[in-house]
Amino acid sequence: MSFYRKLVLSVSGNKVVSGFIKKYGMKLGAARFVAGVTLKEAIEQVNLLNQDGLVVTLDHLGEFVFDEQEAFASTRACLDVLDAVKQSGVKSNMSLKMTSLGLDLSKEVCMKHMRMILDKAREYDNFVRIDMEDYAHIDITMEIFDELKREYGKHVGLVIQAYLFRTVDDMKRLEETYEHCNLRLVKGAYLESPKVAYADKADVDKNYLKIIEMHLLSGHYTAVATHDDNVINHTKAFVQKHNIPNDRFEFQMLYGVRPETQRQLVKEGYTMRVYVPYGNDWYGYFSRRIAESPANAFFILKNMFRK
């Protein structure tokens, strides 16, 4: 992991810094990466993206909850997303973090809420992506995903992170276990120990290309979540070489990041899905976006000095 990223993620935990950003961040530039505080604002942005040929995954932001009432409120927000997508007719599925649904309270609480959400997704023939979180939550996330996958089939998918040593083994098991295993492949954005994750960027990049190729060849649906031109071009060349049709994979990018490239991929005939977050609890997500790129930090600083 780069010194820059370590520094940003460490500083973001400072109470003074977090207090300042939470108070002024949306005005200073966080709105570039977060599609509003309300669901109505988010749906309006999804409509605009759809008009440009982009599809979407909506995410009501939130990670850690501390009681069952908060977990149910997050569950209710997810149900509202599915209702809003159905009622508005926008082209969007949904992503979520299980810590926002009570995973740290108990597996039972989280499973109860996940089943409520997936019952509705199945009713509407929609799809829910479970985000992978920090390393401490991986085993329980895998355990829950296995149970839900057996119950809900094509309506649930998972995120896999390239920077972890265990990733290839996890993917092999999933690919061999399920007939349809829709995975979003990412490099990974949490601050992890070098005992469990590659510390060097070059090693992460190498493993990322490896798992993209591996999943594409497996015949399962692959979501390549990247803003890296090298990865995008490698994927294009690989699918062409192996005659993998465009309906077996998609590219994914974050809302507010490289919008011109997103639209160019649509023009080239690829499915391009935009990860669109919204809600009040945006600070953790925003901090990770700043940690990913000095250019993102510069954008915020530039807005600060304009004030």
Side-chain angles (χ1 to χ4, degrees):
M1 177 178 289
S2 71
F3 172 77
Y4 167 77
R5 187 173 162 207
K6 286 182 180 178
L7 176 65
V8 173
L9 290 175
S10 298
V11 169
S12 68
N14 180 277
K15 289 184 178 180
V16 175
V17 173
S18 63
F20 177 83
I21 297 297
K22 287 176 181 178
K23 186 173 182 179
Y24 299 107
M26 290 297 280
K27 293 181 180 178
L28 294 177
R32 171 179 171 177
F33 306 104
V34 180
V37 173
T38 68
L39 178 56
K40 181 176 182 294
E41 291 170 330
I43 291 293
E44 288 171 355
Q45 292 304 310
V46 174
N47 260 314
L48 293 175
L49 293 166
N50 285 170
Q51 288 173 25
D52 287 340
L54 300 154
V55 292
V56 169
T57 185
L58 272 165
D59 181 10
H60 177 256
L61 290 170
E63 298 181 44
F64 303 101
V65 300
F66 301 99
D67 59 51
E68 196 164 345
Q69 186 175 356
E70 287 182 320
F72 180 74
S74 294
T75 304
R76 182 69 262 169
C78 291
L79 296 171
D80 289 344
V81 167
L82 291 170
D83 284 337
V85 168
K86 177 69 173 179
Q87 292 161 10
S88 65
V90 296
K91 295 178 181 178
S92 178
N93 57 40
M94 187 179 73
S95 297
L96 57 78
K97 286 182 170 56
M98 292 198 297
T99 50
S100 72
L101 306 180
L103 182 58
D104 289 334
L105 302 177
S106 72
K107 176 185 174 182
E108 290 70 29
V109 167
C110 183
M111 287 291 285
K112 177 179 70 174
H113 293 152
M114 282 299 305
R115 286 192 174 103
M116 291 171 64
I117 293 165
L118 287 169
D119 281 345
K120 179 154 287 192
R122 183 165 56 189
E123 176 189 347
Y124 292 158
D125 195 24
N126 209 328
F127 174 82
V128 174
R129 175 86 62 190
I130 298 173
D131 284 336
M132 190 62 76
E133 302 184 62
D134 64 327
Y135 192 82
H137 291 93
I138 288 182
D139 285 336
I140 186 62
T141 297
M142 286 290 191
E143 182 180 323
I144 290 175
F145 176 73
D146 282 329
E147 292 186 39
L148 295 174
K149 185 68 176 170
R150 289 192 290 269
E151 291 180 45
Y152 294 95
K154 68 176 183 177
H155 300 287
V156 61
L158 190 65
V159 173
I160 293 292
Q161 302 170 113
Y163 67 170
L164 299 176
F165 300 146
R166 61 179 285 173
T167 289
V168 169
D169 289 337
D170 285 337
M171 284 182 60
K172 285 180 179 177
R173 184 187 67 79
L174 292 172
E175 290 169 353
E176 292 169 0
T177 302
Y178 302 108
E179 182 179 358
H180 303 289
C181 191
N182 183 330
L183 299 179
R184 175 198 290 150
L185 307 182
V186 304
K187 289 185 180 180
Y190 290 89
L191 185 61
E192 301 292 4
S193 165
K195 294 180 180 180
V196 301
Y198 295 105
D200 187 71
K201 180 181 181 298
D203 291 331
V204 177
D205 291 348
K206 182 179 178 181
N207 203 46
Y208 190 41
L209 293 178
K210 178 179 179 178
I211 66 172
I212 289 171
E213 293 180 358
M214 175 181 160
H215 202 56
L216 285 168
L217 290 175
S218 74
H220 295 285
Y221 193 82
T222 306
V224 181
T226 184
H227 306 108
D228 186 333
D229 282 331
N230 291 329
V231 175
I232 293 169
N233 292 331
H234 183 93
T235 302
K236 289 179 182 179
F238 188 82
V239 298
Q240 186 174 13
K241 178 182 178 181
H242 294 275
N243 297 312
I244 297 170
N246 285 3
D247 62 3
R248 281 251 307 277
F249 72 98
E250 65 186 43
F251 290 106
Q252 295 191 356
M253 293 188 189
L254 301 174
Y255 178 77
V257 181
R258 306 199 68 189
E260 299 85 4
T261 302
Q262 295 175 13
R263 285 157 179 78
Q264 181 59 35
L265 286 167
V266 172
K267 290 178 182 177
E268 293 174 12
Y270 298 104
T271 300
M272 175 65 237
R273 189 174 302 276
V274 184
Y275 183 96
V276 176
Y278 82 96
N280 287 305
D281 193 9
W282 51 266
Y283 180 70
Y285 173 84
F286 177 59
S287 298
R288 289 193 291 277
R289 300 296 74 77
I290 298 304
E292 285 171 353
S293 168
N296 292 344
F298 178 74
F299 175 81
I300 301 303
L301 289 172
K302 184 170 65 174
N303 282 356
M304 286 176 65
F305 287 109
R306 281 178 176 171
K307 302 299 176 183

